[in-house]
Amino acid sequence: MEIQNTIQALRAELNQHNYNYYVLDNATISDYDFDLKLKQLQELENKHPEFFDENSPTQRVGGTVTKNFKTIAHQYRMYSLDNSYSKDDLLDWETRIQKVLGNVDLQYTCELKYDGASISITYENGKLIQALTRGDGFQGDEVTSNIKTIKSIPLQLKGNYPDKFDIRGEIILPFAGFEKMNQELIEIGETPYSNPRNTASGSLKLQDSAEVAKRPLECLLYFVAGNNLPFSSQFEGLESARNWGFKVPKEAKLVNNLQEVFDFIDYWDLHRHDLPYETDGVVIKVNSIQHQEELGYTAKSPRWAMAYKFKSEQVSTELKSISYQVGRTGAITPVANLEPVQLAGTVVKRASLHNADQIEKLDIRIGDTVFVEKGGEIIPKIIAVDLDKRPENSEVTKYITHCPECQTQLVRNEGEANHYCPNFYGCPPQIIGRVQHYISRKAMDIEGLGGETVALLFNNGLVHNYADLYELTVEQILPLERMAQKSAENLVNGVEKSKEIPFESVLFALGIRFVGETVAKKLAKHYATIDALSKASLMDLILVDEIGERIAKSVIEFFENEENQKIIERLKSYGVQFEIVQKNNPNATEKLLGKTFVVSGVFEQFSRDDLKKAIEDNGGKVGSSISAKTHYVVAGANMGPAKLEKAVKLNIPVISENDFIKMLDETK
Ligand code: AMP
Ligand code: ZN
């Protein structure tokens, strides 16, 4: 009983923290403490499977794999919205409505139109039981396990909710999260996603819910469907949903006439770029549910609601030329150079063209007048060509066949969108890019050296690969542009200090394709040394948790390359870390020599791993189970009762975390 209470209390507390953080944007606990409590709950749940609850906060991490999503009928149909593009359209709409209702006083709820993928979630007795995509409106795909990983969606409701209802919302990816995901992809040499909306809707159908859990998705709610609902208007419905724990944007506004609707539209047309997520319009809904019922539905949409689409910000301008950029991994990106033009408050000179297919599909030619649009992305894109303005002598764009930087013939792998320059060791932007990656903050974090200086060092023949950095001298650097004695010394010192960077970061810094930060950590931990890693076979690598064939192949290729082998040998000779070292801890002693400890429960000042490390750093041994050979049991909160009993029986001292700290201090 007591355990069950602890479990429930922890779940309630964690739910509340999730709510504070993801719905209210107002965290009241540190990430560290949150993780600690989550771990504590996870351990209790593991020990007591009889108290399993599929809506426990521990289930947010996902892990269910769905091969085929089931199709299920919506209890309440999911309609589309009629679109309007002008204020006249809205005036006409109101006239039609008033004909049906008989010229009543009308209020409207104005909401932003969130641009993502729609979802319908069913709750019963306050618990999330099912989530369906829109599908064709009559039936959708069941994506419950994916949806549960989205932390702004409550698994357990609060307050006075109805027994059973469906709630509709939009799954979106806020700009910040989208940029972050793309940044990570770029770092490992992968192609970034093209826009937040497609990425959000693609996420719903990922087979592995643990993958969904990693994406910073959100759900914004806008409609409650059900019988005998405890409110009589759309606006109250939104407020109720908010009180039950849902994320309902505060921008929604109750207004008294169309003029106020227009004001809302004008305001957001101007300010929508300040929002953290994409919106493509406003949805106007007749507020009274009684009025809504009188108005009813057409074959595809409610008569009581209307979407007003913002005019997408588009301009036309001339395409002057196409340049081709070569990235760190050799990927070629075509970029359009435009006649400068004003768009959404900025001057646009360049637009992204993505790849050869895109150019071919739109038949984009130099000299064309093109339409440029600004979506959520930083770089605008070309969406169409104005064929009426095409010059007579224009020629079909021939995609380059050779690298613009090193003239090597390009390759394009089966199934990949981008062309590559395969001259990894001789192509200047690739060489510079790799060194820039090597010194970057998450990699070797070399202070005193920036991206531009790397280019400068390369152009002056001083650095051809990252191993060369370690042979730089102040005398060599000083003659370079804008280099003073001090900055030259800082550079050399920064390089020297990077020899202390731990193996996992070094592995990431090497820039092996598809080996990002997380993968580098996994590999470093598993193999412990670069020698072991470089000898691993394909099969061996694939057996490592979360390492797939694509990564494995890339690792093998990297180590088979003689150039890389030489570089690594050199790095080794300079003293760069190629093994996991027990962090040389200044507090290390031999105080606990000869003593064996067993650690159990959850601690406040240490994570369990840190506690074990502290024991080992001080000469002690960590045992996995209590036996006659155990000298001490360090017990944290929620230590298992069986263990405690055993310790008592064997007469082994059970000490607290604080006793342990004292033990270290005293013998100092
Ligand atoms: P459409 O796809 O153009 O027919 O527009 C209808 C879709 O707009 C709905 O299925 C919702 O997914 C989406 N939508 C976004 N924001 C709202 C909102 N505030 N109210 C209603 N629908 C919305
Ligand atoms: Zn090249």
Side-chain angles (χ1 to χ4, degrees):
M1 198 58 211
E2 205 174 308
I3 301 247
Q4 192 177 9
N5 288 343
T6 315
I7 289 182
Q8 263 155 10
L10 272 171
R11 283 177 186 158
E13 189 185 346
L14 289 166
N15 278 335
Q16 182 66 37
H17 286 309
N18 265 332
Y19 174 76
N20 293 346
Y21 187 78
Y22 291 101
V23 179
L24 302 182
D25 291 322
N26 182 18
T28 52
I29 183 173
S30 70
D31 288 356
Y32 177 79
D33 290 336
F34 182 91
D35 289 345
L36 221 58
K37 287 197 195 275
L38 192 65
K39 254 190 228 155
Q40 188 179 350
L41 175 59
Q42 184 70 67
E43 278 174 20
L44 285 175
E45 288 181 350
N46 290 348
K47 262 191 236 154
H48 298 277
E50 67 274 24
F51 301 132
F52 174 79
D53 180 348
E54 57 185 9
N55 282 342
S56 165
T58 52
Q59 302 302 303
R60 297 274 198 196
V61 294
T64 328
V65 175
T66 316
K67 287 268 181 276
N68 292 302
F69 293 96
K70 250 194 286 175
T71 304
I72 294 180
H74 290 290
Q75 185 173 4
Y76 306 93
R77 187 174 154 193
M78 285 182 90
Y79 285 92
S80 290
L81 289 171
D82 280 340
N83 283 322
S84 58
Y85 299 92
S86 68
K87 293 178 180 168
D88 280 346
D89 286 351
L90 290 175
L91 285 165
D92 290 347
W93 175 56
E94 182 170 74
T95 311
R96 288 199 302 276
I97 295 178
Q98 288 293 25
K99 247 192 216 144
V100 179
L101 298 178
N103 290 320
V104 294
D105 272 344
L106 274 184
Q107 282 190 312
Y108 298 102
T109 295
C110 298
E111 292 163 43
L112 293 170
K113 191 166 188 292
Y114 322 115
D115 204 11
S118 40
I119 192 79
S120 179
I121 315 175
T122 306
Y123 284 83
E124 249 178 65
N125 301 317
K127 294 200 184 308
L128 188 163
I129 61 163
Q130 176 176 285
L132 302 179
T133 62
R134 174 154 110 170
D136 63 2
F138 294 99
Q139 49 183 31
D141 290 328
E142 202 240 8
V143 290
T144 316
S145 48
N146 283 348
I147 287 301
K148 278 188 178 174
T149 67
I150 300 175
K151 303 193 191 53
S152 56
I153 298 178
L155 300 176
Q156 170 65 53
L157 302 182
K158 332 192 286 175
N160 246 332
Y161 45 79
D163 291 347
K164 183 166 195 246
F165 65 92
D166 285 1
I167 188 160
R168 265 95 199 244
E170 200 81 355
I171 306 291
I172 57 141
L173 194 51
F175 292 130
F178 177 71
E179 299 289 341
K180 188 161 166 270
M181 278 175 70
N182 270 351
Q183 202 48 47
E184 284 164 8
L185 286 175
I186 291 166
E187 265 166 25
I188 59 167
E190 291 229 55
T191 317
Y193 295 108
S194 70
N195 67 58
R197 183 190 354 127
N198 292 353
T199 315
S201 75
S203 305
L204 296 188
K205 300 292 275 297
L206 289 176
Q207 295 191 340
D208 182 358
S209 62
E211 278 307 305
V212 186
K214 286 186 203 150
R215 299 193 173 184
L217 300 161
E218 278 190 25
C219 183
L220 307 178
L221 286 310
Y222 54 73
F223 182 66
V224 182
N227 292 320
N228 299 320
L229 295 172
F231 48 80
S232 60
S233 73
Q234 167 67 11
F235 198 72
E236 286 166 17
L238 295 180
E239 282 181 332
S240 305
R242 203 176 278 134
N243 292 335
W244 302 334
F246 292 101
K247 187 156 193 161
V248 178
K250 286 271 177 12
E251 284 76 17
K253 192 171 177 193
L254 181 62
V255 304
N256 295 307
N257 52 54
L258 268 194
Q259 185 51 52
E260 288 178 23
V261 170
F262 297 159
D263 293 344
F264 186 89
I265 290 175
D266 289 342
Y267 180 85
W268 285 111
D269 199 359
L270 205 63
H271 290 92
R272 62 187 153 125
H273 297 293
D274 304 336
L275 291 165
Y277 49 81
E278 184 136 42
T279 163
D280 58 345
V282 166
V283 184
I284 305 117
K285 299 172 184 170
V286 170
N287 192 46
S288 150
I289 291 182
Q290 196 196 321
H291 287 154
Q292 291 182 0
E293 281 168 0
E294 281 173 57
L295 289 164
Y297 295 81
T298 68
K300 65 174 265 285
S301 44
R303 288 200 184 85
W304 46 265
M306 189 61 97
Y308 175 91
K309 294 269 183 144
F310 291 132
K311 279 177 203 64
S312 60
E313 290 176 274
Q314 236 181 47
V315 284
S316 68
T317 187
E318 192 193 328
L319 173 63
K320 300 293 239 187
S321 63
I322 297 175
S323 35
Y324 297 85
Q325 293 178 345
V326 187
R328 161 169 77 84
T329 55
I332 308 288
T333 326
V335 176
N337 300 308
L338 306 166
E339 179 63 36
V341 64
Q342 192 80 25
L343 173 65
T346 52
V347 177
V348 173
K349 293 183 206 141
R350 286 147 41 97
S352 141
L353 288 169
H354 299 296
N355 51 48
D357 290 345
Q358 185 73 7
I359 295 175
E360 196 185 314
K361 198 171 101 199
L362 298 176
D363 186 18
I364 296 171
R365 305 181 187 189
I366 291 169
D368 271 344
T369 297
V370 292
F371 293 104
V372 181
E373 191 176 287
K374 198 155 179 160
E377 309 78 48
I378 295 166
I379 304 181
K381 55 185 159 207
I382 293 181
I383 48 162
V385 173
D386 188 346
L387 290 177
D388 294 341
K389 295 200 179 145
R390 172 164 283 173
E392 267 174 29
N393 58 354
S394 86
E395 282 173 31
V396 176
T397 300
K398 281 202 208 77
Y399 203 79
I400 48 166
T401 52
H402 290 74
C403 177
E405 304 279 346
C406 73
Q407 280 68 51
T408 305
Q409 186 163 12
L410 301 180
V411 291
R412 186 178 185 180
N413 292 333
E414 173 104 8
E416 286 184 10
N418 289 88
H419 286 73
Y420 283 90
C421 166
N423 183 16
F424 297 128
Y425 301 95
C427 183
Q430 298 189 55
I431 297 171
I432 296 172
R434 263 197 309 277
V435 179
Q436 287 171 337
H437 171 75
Y438 184 84
I439 65 163
S440 64
R441 204 176 46 79
K442 287 184 187 166
M444 300 303 274
D445 193 17
I446 299 190
E447 270 172 51
L449 181 55
E452 279 175 33
T453 310
V454 170
L456 199 64
L457 291 168
F458 172 79
N459 292 331
N460 283 278
L462 292 173
V463 169
H464 292 96
N465 55 55
Y466 32 70
D468 292 342
L469 292 172
Y470 294 86
E471 297 200 351
L472 286 173
T473 61
V474 172
E475 295 69 43
Q476 279 178 318
I477 308 168
L478 256 181
L480 300 182
E481 267 169 68
R482 279 174 288 142
M483 268 296 168
Q485 178 76 24
K486 188 84 199 136
S487 41
E489 281 170 11
N490 284 345
L491 198 164
V492 174
N493 290 338
V495 170
E496 182 61 29
K497 256 179 77 185
S498 76
K499 296 177 185 172
E500 287 161 25
I501 295 290
F503 177 42
E504 55 185 48
S505 305
V506 176
L507 192 53
F508 172 60
L510 295 181
I512 305 171
R513 197 163 179 225
F514 305 132
V515 177
E517 253 188 306
T518 333
V519 171
K521 266 197 199 128
K522 284 251 148 68
L523 291 173
K525 209 164 166 196
H526 187 90
Y527 289 99
T529 71
I530 193 122
D531 292 337
L533 174 63
S534 65
K535 286 188 198 110
S537 70
L538 190 72
M539 241 0 244
D540 228 28
L541 283 160
I542 291 174
L543 289 177
V544 181
D545 194 25
E546 282 189 46
I547 307 298
E549 191 173 328
R550 197 181 56 152
I551 300 174
K553 278 191 176 149
S554 168
V555 170
I556 301 247
E557 222 173 88
F558 182 88
F559 288 109
E560 269 172 5
N561 182 289
E562 279 177 28
E563 197 79 29
N564 288 334
Q565 289 168 8
K566 273 189 230 151
I567 291 176
I568 288 172
E569 281 315 311
R570 282 178 62 200
L571 290 174
K572 265 189 199 164
S573 73
Y574 304 132
V576 171
Q577 305 290 323
F578 279 116
E579 292 182 7
I580 287 199
V581 257
Q582 303 299 356
K583 257 182 229 147
N584 35 7
N585 182 349
N587 298 323
T589 68
E590 303 211 313
K591 273 177 212 175
L592 307 179
L593 209 61
K595 301 272 184 277
T596 302
F597 292 75
V598 170
V599 172
S600 176
V602 181
F603 302 91
E604 279 175 9
Q605 314 195 33
F606 291 99
S607 74
R608 215 198 298 213
D609 286 342
D610 286 347
L611 184 59
K612 289 183 183 169
K613 210 178 146 301
I615 294 170
E616 285 169 350
D617 280 350
N618 288 286
K621 262 201 206 152
V622 180
S624 55
S625 62
I626 300 174
S627 72
K629 292 190 188 127
T630 309
H631 293 93
Y632 295 96
V633 175
V634 191
N638 299 305
M639 173 183 173
K643 275 195 184 164
L644 190 61
E645 207 175 297
K646 192 160 182 194
V648 173
K649 213 159 113 194
L650 294 172
N651 223 347
I652 297 166
V654 177
I655 62 171
S656 71
E657 175 179 21
N658 283 329
D659 295 336
F660 174 75
I661 295 171
K662 262 193 227 138
M663 188 186 250
L664 287 184
D665 283 347
E666 273 169 13
T667 31
K668 222 171 220 171

